[in-house]
Amino acid sequence: MRCKTRCALLGLGMAATLPVALAAPAATDPQPECTVEALADKLRATGATDLELVNLAIKTVASSYTHDSAWHLWETPAASLRSGRGWSHQYNTVLLLVLRQLGFHARMVQAARVRGFPHPWWYVGHAWVKVTINGRRYDACASRSSNRVGDVGFVPLTPEIRFRRVTRWAMGLGIAPFVVVAVWRAWLSGNPVPEWLYRRRSDG
């Protein structure tokens, strides 16, 4: 009986999720040629170094994203870059890879709770990049093109922990039910989907 119940719940979940995934907004300005390598080459050609180069990398990656989106959680970082939309674990993975291409030591971290974003109460976590410049470690985040090294627009409220490969899937699976419920609630009520779910960046 338990197996039948679980299978039924799984089937209902999939039936509710599929229409939401299919209805996800299409990219407004896709850039199929936009890749990590292309961004790194563009930045390398500027001749900038150290702090200036990392600041340019933050601005360039952030400007490549026109939308913040929790509606496309399944997309890889590379796909999110081409589509110009994503969540912190997508656009900041792109920033991480660009910085590594430029020769910086960088790694991803996350915190379960941060202050500074207009997210719903149930999702206040964030993932970002730690980059080492001349032996000193700084925060870097591509959530806004106005961000700079060490000035990322948010404050961690819980300890920083290492961002692991499995974390990407755990974050997506944790947020997905809320996304599905939010979209269905909007459809059934005739209201627009919440802004946190899919919004144009003001400075992207």
Side-chain angles (χ1 to χ4, degrees):
M1 182 65 74
R2 288 183 179 178
C3 182
K4 289 183 178 180
T5 301
R6 290 174 182 170
C7 289
L9 290 174
L10 179 61
L12 286 173
M14 292 178 65
T17 301
L18 185 58
V20 172
L22 293 175
T28 57
D29 187 20
Q31 305 173 78
E33 74 289 345
C34 194
T35 64
V36 166
E37 293 75 15
L39 293 183
D41 287 343
K42 176 182 177 181
L43 289 161
R44 201 177 288 115
T46 66
T49 60
D50 301 332
L51 279 168
E52 182 185 7
L53 181 56
V54 177
N55 280 331
L56 282 174
I58 293 170
K59 183 177 182 179
T60 299
V61 172
S63 297
S64 298
Y65 283 80
T66 59
H67 288 76
D68 287 312
S69 177
W71 208 335
H72 302 86
L73 295 170
W74 64 86
E75 289 188 333
T76 65
S80 77
L81 176 61
R82 292 192 298 270
S83 299
R85 63 200 178 196
W87 211 242
S88 66
H89 65 289
Q90 293 164 318
Y91 56 74
N92 276 330
T93 295
V94 172
L95 177 61
L96 172 78
L97 297 175
V98 167
L99 291 174
R100 286 179 173 174
Q101 286 269 329
L102 295 171
F104 292 97
H105 180 271
R107 63 185 177 90
M108 287 273 284
V109 296
Q110 64 164 339
R113 186 176 179 83
V114 303
R115 182 176 64 242
F117 293 106
H119 294 166
W121 65 267
W122 49 264
Y123 185 62
V124 287
H126 194 66
W128 71 99
V129 177
K130 288 283 189 180
V131 57
T132 301
I133 308 170
N134 295 327
R136 185 176 175 184
R137 188 174 295 168
Y138 298 88
D139 292 323
C141 178
S143 59
R144 302 182 183 95
S145 60
S146 57
N147 285 350
R148 295 295 180 265
V149 171
D151 182 10
V152 291
F154 65 88
V155 178
L157 301 178
T158 56
E160 299 171 12
I161 60 175
R162 182 179 176 183
F163 188 94
R164 301 179 183 277
R165 184 174 298 180
V166 68
T167 309
R168 188 180 313 282
W169 301 107
M171 288 178 71
L173 290 173
I175 302 170
F178 294 97
V179 171
V180 171
V181 169
V183 173
W184 273 106
R185 182 176 293 165
W187 285 347
L188 294 174
S189 66
N191 294 320
V193 297
E195 190 176 59
W196 63 262
L197 184 62
Y198 185 76
R199 60 175 175 259
R200 177 172 285 277
R201 287 188 170 189
S202 59
D203 70 342

